[in-house]
Amino acid sequence: MSEPANSKGELWLALHLPLLGLDLLQLSSAHAPAACLYEGENKHQRVWLGNSRARRCGIVPGMALKAALAQCPDLQTYPRRADAEQSRLEQLALICLDFSSRISLEPPQGLLLEVGASARLWQTKFLRRHLQGLLREQGHIVYTALHETPTGALLLARSRQNRPAQIPLGAFPVDAGITRKLARIGVHTLNDYLTLPEKDRMLRFGPELEQMALKILGRLPDPRRNWRPPCRFRRTLELEYETASAGQLLFYARRLLDELDEALAQTCSAVQQLHWIFHHYRRAPTRHQQQLLHPGRDMSRISLLLHEQLERLPLPASVEKITLQVNRFWPKAADSLSLLRDMGQNIDAIEPLLEKLQARLGAQAVYQLRALPDHRPELAWARVAPGKATPPPDQLPPRPLWLLPQPRKLSSIRSFRHWRGPERIASGWWEDDIRRDYYRARHRSGVTYWLYHHAGEWFIHGVFG
Amino acid sequence: MACSADIHYAELHCISNFTFLRGASHPEELVQRAHDLGYRALAITDECSLAGVVRAWRVARELNFHLIIGSEFRFDDGMRLLLLATNLAGYSALSQLITDCRRQSEKGSYHIERPMLDQGLPDCLALLAPTLPLPGEEVLIEQTQWLAERFPKRCWLLYERVLSADDEQSLQALSRIAAAARLALAAAGDVHMHDAGRRRLQDVLTCIRHGCAISQAGQRLYPNGERHLRSTQKLARLYPRELLDETLRIASLCQFRLDQVHYQYPDEIIPENHTVSSYLRQETEAGIRRRWPGGEPVKVRKLVEKELALIAELQYEPYFLTVYDIVKYARSQKILCQGRGSAANSAVCYCLGITEVDPARVDLLFERFISKERNEPPDIDVDFEHERREQVIQYIYRKYGRERAAIAAAVITYRPRSAVRDVGKALGLSLDQVDALAKSLAWWDGRKVKPERLRDAGFDPDSQLISQLMTLVNEIIGFPRHLSQHTGGFIIARQKLSALVPIENASMADRTIIQWDKDDLETLGFMKVDVLALGMLSAIRKTLDLIENTSGRRLRMQDIPPDDPATYRMIQQADTIGVFQIESRAQMSMLPRLKPASYYDLVIEVAIMRPGPIQGGMVHPYLRRRQGKEKVAYPSDDLRPVLERTLGIPIFQEQVIKLAMVAAGFSPGEADQLRRAMAAWKRKGGMEPFRKKLIDGMLARSYPLDFAEQIYQQILGFGDYGFPESHSASFALLAYVSSWLKAHEPAAFVCALINSQPMGFYRPDQLLQDARRHGVEVRPVDALASDWDCTLEKTAGKPALRMGFRLLKGMSRRAADMIVAQRRERPFASIRDLATGTGLNRRQLDILAASGALRSLSEHRNDARWQVWGQHKTTPLLQQAPLKETPTRLPEPGEGERLLDDYALTSLTLGRHPLALLREKLDRARLLPLGQLKQLRHGQRSRAAGIVIGRQRPHTAAGVTFLTLEDETGQANIIVWRDLAEKQRRILLHAPLLVVSGKVEKEGEVVHFIAEKLEDYSGLLGKLQTRSRDFH
C-alpha cells in the first residue's frame, strides 16, 4: 500500500483511551475486580465497556447486562456517564494545549493533536512518551499513534497497529454489520479491502467505510474541528483594603455582578447558581453558594438576596479577594413564568417573598404542606419546597388540620362526649404496621379531638380546628 | 346488642379471585367459610363473571349450603350494581347479559351501560351497592330512582359498613334515600376475602392490578382489612337488626340452584326418521360390514351388542354420534384423526372409525373404561393433524353456529415464576432483583421456593421482606389470572349456549370461550368433545402421501401390517428417534429392558415411563417380572383380574382406581371422587382424606402397609400426568405406526416429520443426523432444486431427501415460493437471474448465499455473497443490460467458516461434525470420543467432550438430569445426579460444549455415563451456535 501523500506536512498524534469510563472509576487496572459500564434503561441495558477481568469472563460490549451478570455474577456494573467522559476529555485537552494548538476531541475515547508544527521543537518520539506518561499519571490507559491523517492516527492507535494496511476493519467506527459482512467473504484488513475493485466495493459496502479508507490514503480531505476551552464566568476582584463588613463586601460584589450581567447580556443567558469565594489571608476561603428558584438575570434581586445572606454569613477573617464563579449559563426563559401567571398565581409577588423568607429563616424553614395518598395519618402528608405541592385529592376523609407530632396517650376518656366512629385504619404491614380505630369526640372544653384506640389504650392524635 | 345465637345473615356481595386481581380468596374457601360462620347463604358476585360459581357450587352442594349466583357490574358513571338470579330464567338472563357486556369488549374486559338494562332483567334482583366514599346524595337519588323503575319491587339499597370514616352519616343518608325511593335497605359486606388473613394478599393484588409498588400504592389500597367474611356476632354489632333480616328475605327469593342448568345434546346429528339409538345402530352395523367384510368374529358381535346396550342405558348415543359426525367430516377432508379416552376404545368406536384400535386384536374391555356405577361422563378425545385442526374447528362452528358451540376455558393460574415476579414487583423489588429471584427458580425447583435458591440469588431468606414475599407467593400460587382457551374442548348445546354459561372473547380473533373450564363442565354434566391437535398425525399422513408419490403405493393407517418383527427389533434397540411417544430419553432407556414385542407391550411402555408408576415404584418390579427374574404374584386373589394383564403390578390409572375399590373398599362414587382429586391435588391439595381411607381400607383387608403406601404414592404421581390405559392404547397404536414407517420408509418418514415441525422431541437437525445414520442420503438446500418443504428425490436406489428452504433460519415462505414458481417458468442461469426474476430482498438472498443454496450458480459461498451483494433493484429496462463487474477473486471459505454458516442457518452441517474439527485439541486434552464410551467396562472412569443436544429433567426422576451429548462419533447419555446439578447448575444449564468426567454404568445393552464433574469448554466453539431444547 502506498504511503499517504500529505501536501500540508501535517502529522497527527492520536491518543486512544480504551477504558476511559472505567478509568474514571479506577476500575481499569488489570487487578481491578471485574467491572463494566452499561447503557440503556431497564430491559435494554447493554454492556458498554468492560475491564480486562470482565473481558476474561467473556463480557463483551453490546451484550445484555443481564446476560453479562448471568455469566459473571460478581461483575460490578455502573451506568455509563458520557458527560463525565466528555469533561475528562476536555480536561485532558487542556493539558494537551501545552503541546499543540490544534486539538480535536474524538469522543468517546480519543484525542487528536496536530504535532507537525511542534515536531521540530519536540522530538515526536519524546512527545509521545511524555504525553503517555502524563495521561498514565492521571490514571489512564492510553495508546498512541502517529500518522499524517487524523483518521489514520486514530485507527492506528485504536487497533494498536503500526502500518495502516494492517488495520483490521473491525477497528473502523462504521456499522458493525458492514465489517461483519466483509469478514464473511474473507476480507479482514484495510489491505484486503483495498484489493477489492473500488467501484464494486462502494456498491456493496456503502460510502462510509470507503470514505474513511480514502481519508487514510490522503485522497479525501480529513478536516477536524479545533477544540477551544469552554466559556463560563469567573472573575476575581482584589479589594482595595481588607474588610469583613457586609456592606462593603456587597459594594465589591456588585461590581462583579455588573460584569456578570454584561456577560449574560451578550449571550442572552440567565443564571441560577452563583458561587462566591471570599478569600482570606492565610486561611481557607469562605465559600457561599447562591441558589435562585428559577434562572434569572435580575441583578438587583440577586444583590438584595446576597445582602441578606452576607449579614448572616460567618466570616472567620477579613476578606482580601472575592471570586464570583458561574459554572452554567441558562438560556433566558421568560415563558415558563407567564404560564404560571395565567394560572392565577402571582408568582412575581410571592417569589421574592419566599426567597426573602428563606434568606432570613434558612431554606429549610420555609415549606409547603402536601397531601399524600396514604391511609396512615403520619404518612398522609409531607413537607415540600414552596410551590412544589400538587393540589390535594378530591375526596379526603375528615382529617384534623393539626396532627400532633406524636400521638399522646390518654389515661382516661371520661371527659369526651359525642363520639363518632370508629374509622378503622389498619395498613402498612410492609413497613410500619398500624391498626387503630379512630374516633372523633368532643372534649369537655368544647374542642373536637381525633382519638384512637389501639391495643386497649387510648391516644389523642389530632385537633380539629 | 342482640344475642349472637339468633343472628342470621346472608352475605349478598362477595367477589372471589375470579374477579381477577381483586378478590383474594378461592370460591371454595368463601363458601366453606360462610358455612362455618353460620351464614344462611352466600352470593358469589364476581364482576361481570360467573367463572367461579361452579367451584363454589361443588362445595356448597356437599355442605348443603345455600349458594346464590349473581354478578357485580360497574357502570361508567360509577354506579355499582349487583344482580342476583332468583330462578333458572333469571340465571339465563344474567348469563346473557354478561355475554353481551363481554362480547363487545376486548378479552378480559367488559362494558355495561344503562340502556342494556332498560327492560330490567327478568327474574333477577337488583342491589345497588354504592362505592365508598359515598357519592353525593343527588347522585344516589337518581340511581335509586332509575333502578326502582326498572326493577320494581325487586331492588334494594345496600349499606356496607367496612369501618370507614362517617359510617353513621352514610347510614343516615342511605336510609333517607331508600325511604324516599320506597326501597328497603339491606346489609352487605363488600367481601373480597374469606378471612382477614388474606388482607396482605388483597393489597398485593391491588398493586399488581395498578402496576405499582406497595409503598406507592397509597389510597389505592383499602384502608383496612374489613372486607372479609365477618362473624355474625360482629355483624350484629355493626348493623341494625332489620338490615340483617332483610338479607335473609332477599336470599329466600333466590331459589336458583346450579344443578337446574340442564344441558341438552344437539339434535341435528340424527337424520329424519331416526332415533339416536336406531341411527347409532345403523352406522355401527355399516361399520362392521366395512371392517369385517367376511363377517365379524363372534367375540366382536358380542362386544358390540353389549356396548350398544350400555350406551343406550346411559343415554350416551348423542355423544357418540356427535363425535362420529366430526370424525366423518375429517375423513371426508382426508384429515387423519384418532380417538382416545375411556369411550374411544370401544368396538362401537372402531366400527364408527373413531379409532383404529381393533377390538379383535386386543383385549381392551370397554367396560373397563365406562361403567354404570361410576358416574363418569363419556370421554372421547379426538386428535387431528395439527396443521389442519382449524378446519375441523371451523366445521363445528359452521354446523352448530357460534351461538351454540364454543371452546371451554382454561383457567390460567399463578405459577411460582409469575407469582414471584408479580409479588416481588408489588413489594418494591427492582426489576433486576425480581428477575434474579425468578431465575433462581429454574424449571425444576418444584412448587415451593427453597431458601437455598434465595441465598443463591443474593437474598436473605430470613429477612422480613423475603419471608413476606414467600408467604404471599405461596398464597397466590394457584390463583386464577385470566381465562384462556382450552386446547380444544368444544362444548356444543342444543340451544343458545349463552343461556347456560356466559361467553367471552378469547385473545385469538374470532374465538369465543365460555367462562367455565373442563372440571366445571364435568360437574354440571355438559358434553365436551376434545378436538385436539397432534403433530404426529400430520407427519403420518404426510409420510403416507410421500410414499404414494415416490412409489405409487397408497398405504392407509389400517393397512400397516401389525406385529412386524423388523419394527419391534428396531424398537427394542431404542432406535426410536422421531417416533411417537417412545422417543424421549427416559423412554429410550427403558426400551432395551422392556423389549416390547407386541402391541400391548407398547401400551404398557407408553404408560410406564410416567410419574404415576415411577413414584409408586412400579417400574422395576414390573421389569423384573417381565424379565422372569421375579415370580408373578398377586397381593390377593381379588386383585388378580385387576392386575393380571400387567403381571400383578398396577401401572394404569384405571387399575389404581379399580384397586381402590377392590382392595380398599371404595364405593364407585368415592372412586370417582378419588379420580377427580387425583387430577387436582397438585393445585389444591385435598388428598389426605383419601390417603387415610385408602390405607385403612387396605389394612383392614389385610394388605401390607408397604403396598398401600406404594399405591398412594402412585396415586399422587398420577396427579397432573395421569395416563390411563384408554389413552395409552391409542397412543401405542400411533407409536407402532410411526415406528413401522421409520423402519421401512426412513426417508419419507423423516421428510414428513421435518415438514410437520414444530413437533416432537427432536430438532430437524437431530432428525436429519439420525436419518443419515440410517443411510438416508441427505442433499443440501439448493435454489435450483429445493422446495419450501423437504422433498424426496428419486435415485437409482432408495429415495434421497432434499433439504427444503424451511430449514434455513430467517427464510420466508413467500420468498421460497417465489423461487419455486420462477424456477418452474424458466430455470435460473445466474444469481443475477434469480435475484431479478424473483425480486427477493437482500436479506433472503444473503441467507441463500450463506447457506450454500446458490452452490449451482457460484464458485463458492464467498463468491455467492459477493454476487448477491452486487444486486440492486433495477428497472425492467436495465434488467437485460448486464452491469459490468470487475471479476474478483475472493478467498474460498474454510471448513470452519462453512460449518459456522451451516450451523447459523440450519443448525446442521452435512460436512464434518464441529467436534471433528476440534478433535486434535480434544485429543491433546485426553478427551475420549463419545463413541468409545460404550467400549469401556462397567465402573471404568473417563472424560469425554460433546455438544449438549438435550437436557431433560423429568419431574419423576427425583432430581436427575439426563444430558445428551453428541460428537462426530455419536451420542451419549449422561446422568447428572442432583448434588452435582446443584453444585454446577450454571454450567449444566448453559454450557453448549461440555466436558464430563465420570464413570460408566452398564446394564445389559444400556450404557450410561454418570457425571462426577462438568467443565465448560464452550470457548472452543468460537461463534459456533448450538442450542438445546429444554423440556419440562
Side-chain angles (χ1 to χ4, degrees), chain A residues 88-99 103 111 227 229-230:
Chain A
R88 174 56 66 97
L89 279 181
E90 289 183 14
Q91 285 169 16
L92 296 176
L94 263 174
I95 297 174
C96 293
L97 267 183
D98 292 345
F99 307 103
I103 291 176
L111 278 177
W227 176 76

Side-chain angles (χ1 to χ4, degrees), chain A residues 42 45 66 70-71 181 184-186 196-197 199-201 203-205 373-375 395 397-398 420-427 429-430 433 440, chain B residues 133 161 163 165-166 168-169 199-200 203 214 218-219 221-224 226 234 435 468 842 850 862 865-866 869-870 872 884-886 888 891 986:
Chain A
N42 296 333
Q45 288 170 341
K66 275 187 200 151
Q71 198 153 330
K181 213 165 144 180
R184 283 166 58 197
I185 53 168
L196 299 173
K199 183 170 58 55
D200 298 338
R201 68 190 190 215
L203 181 74
R204 285 166 175 83
F205 308 111
D374 202 294
H375 292 295
Q395 288 186 314
R420 299 172 93 175
E423 175 188 357
R424 176 163 296 174
I425 299 179
S427 191
W429 50 268
W430 56 93
D433 199 0
R440 272 176 289 163
Chain B
R161 187 161 183 202
L163 300 186
D166 292 328
E168 290 139 47
Q169 287 94 314
R199 193 280 162 86
R200 295 177 175 197
D203 281 348
I214 191 128
Q219 289 181 334
L221 306 177
Y222 288 124
N224 58 40
E226 287 302 298
K234 184 167 179 182
D435 273 351
Q468 280 176 348
R842 180 68 76 68
N862 282 355
R865 282 196 177 111
W866 176 259
W869 294 340
H872 276 246
K884 257 232 161 107
E885 286 246 334
T886 326
T888 312
R986 227 165 51 79

